[in-house]
Amino acid sequence: MALGVTSLITDISAEMVTAVLPVYLVAGLGISMIQFGFLDGAYSGSTALLRLVGGYLADRFTARKAVAAAGYLASAVTKLGFPLVGASVPGIGAMMAVDRAGKGIRTAPRDALISLSTPPESQGRAFGLHRAMDTVGAFIGPVVAFALMSLLSTDLGTAYDAVFVVSFCVGGVGVAALALFVRDPFVRRRTERSAVSLRSGLRLLAAAPFRRACAGACLLGLATVSDAFVYLCLQQRTDLAVAYFPLLPLGTTGVYLLTAVPLGTLADRAGRFGRWRVFLAGHGCLLAGYLLLGGASNLRGLTLIATVLVLHGLFYAATDGVLMAHAAPLMPEHLRSSGMSVLQTTQTLGRSLSSVVFGAAWMRWGPAGTVHGFTVALVVAVAVCAVVLRPGRTKAAPATTAVTA
C-alpha cells in the first residue's frame, strides 16, 4: 500500500509533464516528427541498460528501497531542467533521458518489493492494485496540467514552465513518502548475496519459460506505438484543440484505473499460464485501437477519441502488471530485482526502437499509413507469442536456489 501511495504521488508529477510534452515539443517548439520520434525513443530507451544496473544493485546490496528512492529523486529533479534548456533539442533529449533513467533505476526494485511482499497466488491482484493506485496519480496529473494551461493560456511559455515547476514539487513529496513509509521485507542470507552479479541476472535467460517471456515482451514492444504517438494521431484525426490535448491521457488512465484490479484478479484465477493469455488479450485491445486510428470504421470526433482511449486503457490494464505477475514465479527471490530488470529491459528496447521507426515512417507515409504498418506488425507479433512463445509447463524457479555466475 505504501508503494502504491508513493507511485500515486510520483505519477501526478510524471503525468503532468507527459501530458503536455508532445504538444510542447511539436506545437510549442516546432520540432519535426522524426525528431520527436528520436526523442521519444530516447525517452524510453534510456531506461534499458540502467534497469539492469538498478536491478543488480538492489539485489547485490539488498537495497531495493534505496535504489528505488534514487530513481524517484532523479526523475523529480529533471522536471526543473526542461524550462532551463529552452528550445535546445539536445538539451531536451538529455532531460528526457535522465528522467527515464530514473524510472529505469527504480522500476525493477519497486516491482520486486511488490512481488516479495505478496503470496504467489495473489501476484496479479497485487500488481493490479499497485497499478490502479499508480493510475490515480496518472489521472490527476493531466488534470493539474490542464488547469495550469487554462489559467495561463494567454502566455503558453509561462504555462509550460508552471507545469514543470509544480511537477518537481509534487515529485519531491513522492520521494519523501517512499523514504518515510516503505520497508523492504526481504533479508537475504550471506551465501545468496555472493551469488548475485550482472551475469547471474542475465543467466536467468537460460531458463526457457523466462526466456520466452522476455522474447515475447520484446517482440510485442516492437509493434507497440508509444502513448505520445497515439495521442498525436487522435489529435490530428479529430482536429482537437491543442489546449485539450493534456486531457487525452485521462481516458486511458480512467479505464486503466477501473480495470487493473479486476483483470489482475482474473489473470490469477486463470492460473500462471492464464496470465500470459490475459497479456495477449490486452494486445488484442491495442490492435483494435490501431484499426480505428487507421480509419477502419466510420467513427469520428469524440466517439472515435473515447473508443480508442477505452481500448488503450484496457491494453495497459491487461498487460502492465500482468506481465510482471506472470514472470515473478520464474525467478528466485534473491534475483527478483535482477530478473525484473532483464524482462523490463527487453520490453523497453523494443518500444524505444518502435518510437524511432514510427516517427521516421510518419514523415514518409503519414500517420494513417504508419498505423497500418504497425497493425500488420502487431498481428504477426501476437500470433508468434500465442503459438511459438506460449508458456510451457516448466516449474517455477525455487525461492532460494542461487543462480551462480
Side-chain angles (χ1 to χ4, degrees):
M1 183 62 71
L3 272 171
V5 172
T6 299
S7 291
L8 187 156
I9 298 170
T10 301
D11 243 41
I12 295 175
S13 169
E15 294 303 321
M16 285 179 64
V17 174
T18 300
V20 303
L21 199 57
V23 72
Y24 170 67
L25 296 175
V26 175
L29 302 183
I31 71 171
S32 68
M33 280 298 171
I34 194 167
Q35 286 178 310
F36 180 75
F38 175 79
L39 288 173
D40 194 55
Y43 194 47
S44 300
S46 58
T47 70
L49 295 179
L50 284 174
R51 287 177 187 267
L52 296 176
V53 174
Y56 161 70
L57 292 175
D59 282 340
R60 181 68 179 83
F61 300 103
T62 321
R64 296 180 180 89
K65 176 179 173 179
V67 173
Y72 280 113
L73 182 61
S75 292
V77 170
T78 56
K79 303 303 189 297
L80 292 180
F82 286 105
L84 295 178
V85 300
S88 168
V89 173
I92 292 169
M95 291 300 103
M96 294 172 71
V98 174
D99 180 27
R100 292 299 86 181
K103 180 177 176 61
I105 290 172
R106 72 180 184 250
T107 302
R110 181 203 66 197
D111 284 351
L113 284 170
I114 296 170
S115 175
L116 293 168
S117 303
T118 308
E121 67 276 7
S122 302
Q123 295 279 316
R125 185 177 184 278
F127 277 104
L129 178 60
H130 172 266
R131 293 325 194 243
M133 295 184 70
D134 184 90
T135 305
V136 171
F139 192 88
I140 296 172
V143 173
V144 176
F146 173 72
L148 291 171
M149 295 286 288
S150 299
L151 288 172
L152 302 170
S153 58
T154 56
D155 185 353
L156 286 178
T158 301
Y160 289 127
D161 289 349
V163 170
F164 294 135
V165 172
V166 173
S167 173
F168 163 74
C169 295
V170 175
V173 175
V175 175
L178 175 69
L180 293 174
F181 302 115
V182 174
R183 291 183 294 178
D184 189 337
F186 183 67
V187 178
R188 184 176 52 253
R189 294 188 295 271
R190 184 181 299 274
T191 55
E192 291 174 335
R193 176 177 295 183
S194 64
V196 176
S197 68
L198 287 173
R199 184 180 297 179
S200 62
L202 292 173
R203 288 194 64 179
L204 290 172
L205 291 168
F210 184 69
R211 185 171 64 249
R212 283 195 291 265
C214 290
C218 182
L219 182 61
L220 289 166
L222 286 168
T224 299
V225 178
S226 76
D227 296 359
F229 277 123
V230 169
Y231 302 144
L232 285 171
C233 285
L234 276 176
Q235 193 266 335
Q236 293 214 356
R237 280 211 61 197
T238 59
D239 294 321
L240 184 71
V242 170
Y244 293 99
F245 189 89
L247 296 179
L248 289 178
L250 295 181
T252 297
T253 55
V255 175
Y256 189 3
L257 172 62
L258 293 173
T259 57
V261 174
L263 287 176
T265 303
L266 174 64
D268 284 337
R269 290 177 178 174
R272 182 157 59 90
F273 305 120
R275 291 170 184 161
W276 187 253
R277 290 194 287 271
V278 171
F279 178 67
L280 292 183
H283 285 85
C285 293
L286 182 63
L287 179 60
Y290 284 4
L291 291 172
L292 294 178
L293 283 176
S297 77
N298 293 322
L299 296 180
R300 296 290 185 272
L302 291 178
T303 303
L304 175 63
I305 292 174
T307 306
V308 171
L309 294 181
V310 167
L311 291 168
H312 202 223
L314 287 171
F315 157 66
Y316 275 114
T319 59
D320 191 10
V322 171
L323 177 61
M324 298 301 108
H326 166 74
L330 308 178
M331 326 167 198
E333 287 185 353
H334 69 283
L335 289 174
R336 191 65 54 87
S337 297
S338 299
M340 292 285 188
S341 70
V342 171
L343 175 62
Q344 292 161 2
T345 295
T346 58
Q347 185 179 50
T348 299
L349 288 173
R351 289 188 176 183
S352 61
L353 181 58
S354 168
S355 290
V356 175
V357 171
F358 195 95
W362 182 313
M363 296 292 291
R364 178 65 177 84
W365 294 292
T370 304
V371 169
H372 291 158
F374 270 71
T375 300
V376 174
L378 185 57
V379 169
V380 173
V382 170
V384 171
C385 289
V387 177
V388 179
L389 298 175
R390 66 184 185 276
R393 299 196 176 275
T394 306
K395 294 181 180 179
T400 57
T401 301
V403 179
T404 58

